[in-house]
Amino acid sequence: MEDVHIVRDQRTNRRIRAREVRVVGSAGEQLGVLSIEAALERAQSEGLDLVEVNPMAKPPVCKIMDYGKFKYEEKKKASEAKKKQVVVHLKEVKLRPKTEEHDYEFKVRNVKRFLEEGNKAKVTIVFRGREITHKELGSAILDDVNKDLKEVAVVEQAPRMEGRQMFMILAPNPKVAQRARDLARQQAQAKAEAQASKKGEGGGKGEGGKAEGDKEEARPAGKPAETPPAPPVPPQGQASGAAAPGGTK
């Protein structure tokens, strides 16, 4: 079936109001302009539905299809697309105009890791007290961050002031973003396969598994086997099955 984009609550069969419609057959062939009755008869003869796919055309365009199957496949495609969708987070890293070198390097490494995971990063310079009079220090730090991350990042939003803070937003460059999306899809696919495999293995138990479980329940590991109880002692004076040696005649 060719690709057909259908809006929600599309009119079908007897709900179509036009007297004449342009009909596309179930195989994609053009059947021309038919009366609504003739179009419905053609669809019913194939056991399919008549679906209005372009109500704004004159006359409206309708297609003969299995509408229930089409809606099911569209829902399934949407579900698969949602599973493969990559969620992008915005993570913030804060620096000061007087940030020490080792602290700066540590936070820049974190920003790089965020970007390589496909996320965006907000790098913020926080000014305190009279530091606000030296905004050029904040601009210099953001420039350094941009230069240190030029291999993986692009500036999505240039540095700007907001209150006593100066910030810029970095995004992964197209190559890094594509690599992150591919990795996310692979992980999602592997997770789905693992869940399907686990579900299949848990569907039933073999006889061997049951027997082994029964043995473990009867005698847990490390517990010695119990000895059978001794036979009961017959009461005194009761004759036993074997004659005692030296008995009377």
Side-chain angles (χ1 to χ4, degrees), residues 9-60:
D9 296 331
Q10 193 73 12
R11 286 192 287 265
T12 60
N13 300 323
R14 292 291 176 183
R15 294 175 58 200
I16 300 172
R17 300 171 184 171
R19 294 183 178 181
E20 289 185 338
V21 293
R22 185 176 300 277
V23 182
V24 180
S26 58
E29 71 278 17
Q30 296 290 333
L31 302 180
V33 179
L34 303 176
S35 68
I36 187 62
E37 294 299 331
L40 286 170
E41 185 177 350
R42 177 65 182 264
Q44 290 171 1
S45 67
E46 298 183 32
L48 300 173
D49 302 299
L50 185 68
V51 182
E52 191 178 50
V53 296
N54 188 357
M56 303 305 295
K58 294 186 180 298

Side-chain angles (χ1 to χ4, degrees), residues 48-208:
L48 300 173
D49 302 299
L50 185 68
V51 182
E52 191 178 50
V53 296
N54 188 357
M56 303 305 295
K58 294 186 180 298
V61 180
C62 296
K63 181 171 175 62
I64 296 174
M65 67 172 75
D66 185 340
Y67 189 57
K69 181 179 179 182
F70 175 82
K71 294 295 285 183
Y72 170 76
E73 289 176 350
E74 286 293 297
K75 185 177 180 180
K76 188 175 180 180
K77 287 178 184 178
S79 178
E80 291 296 326
K82 188 175 181 181
K83 288 180 181 178
K84 295 178 180 179
Q85 195 173 36
V86 179
V87 179
V88 178
H89 299 280
L90 177 64
K91 301 192 177 185
E92 184 176 20
V93 171
K94 293 184 178 182
L95 297 167
R96 295 283 310 284
K98 298 180 180 179
T99 299
E100 297 292 336
E101 184 66 23
H102 67 278
D103 192 24
Y104 169 85
E105 293 176 354
F106 173 77
K107 292 188 176 181
V108 167
R109 284 197 300 270
N110 281 341
V111 173
K112 184 178 180 181
R113 177 169 55 84
F114 297 156
L115 295 168
E116 289 176 341
E117 291 172 355
N119 299 309
K120 297 180 181 181
K122 180 179 180 181
V123 184
T124 303
I125 308 298
V126 180
F127 296 96
R128 295 180 182 175
R130 295 182 60 83
E131 290 176 348
I132 195 66
T133 60
H134 298 285
K135 297 178 183 178
E136 69 280 0
L137 297 178
S139 298
I141 293 176
L142 293 182
D143 287 341
D144 289 341
V145 173
N146 189 17
K147 291 176 184 176
D148 291 339
L149 297 174
K150 63 181 180 180
E151 294 182 358
V152 297
V154 293
V155 178
E156 186 176 82
Q157 184 170 328
R160 53 174 288 190
M161 287 295 299
E162 189 174 89
R164 301 183 67 85
Q165 297 181 348
M166 178 184 292
F167 70 91
M168 71 175 177
I169 295 179
L170 300 176
N173 64 35
K175 186 177 180 180
V176 173
Q178 184 61 47
R179 188 162 59 239
R181 285 193 294 268
D182 292 342
L183 181 60
R185 291 191 187 101
Q186 291 173 7
Q187 290 175 344
Q189 184 177 359
K191 184 178 180 181
E193 290 175 355
Q195 290 177 346
S197 176
K198 186 176 181 180
K199 186 176 180 181
E201 291 175 358
K205 286 185 177 180
E207 293 182 359

Side-chain angles (χ1 to χ4, degrees), residues 210-229:
K210 288 185 178 180
E212 186 177 353
D214 292 342
K215 289 179 182 178
E216 290 179 358
E217 183 178 356
R219 190 181 68 185
K223 184 177 180 180
E226 297 181 359
T227 55

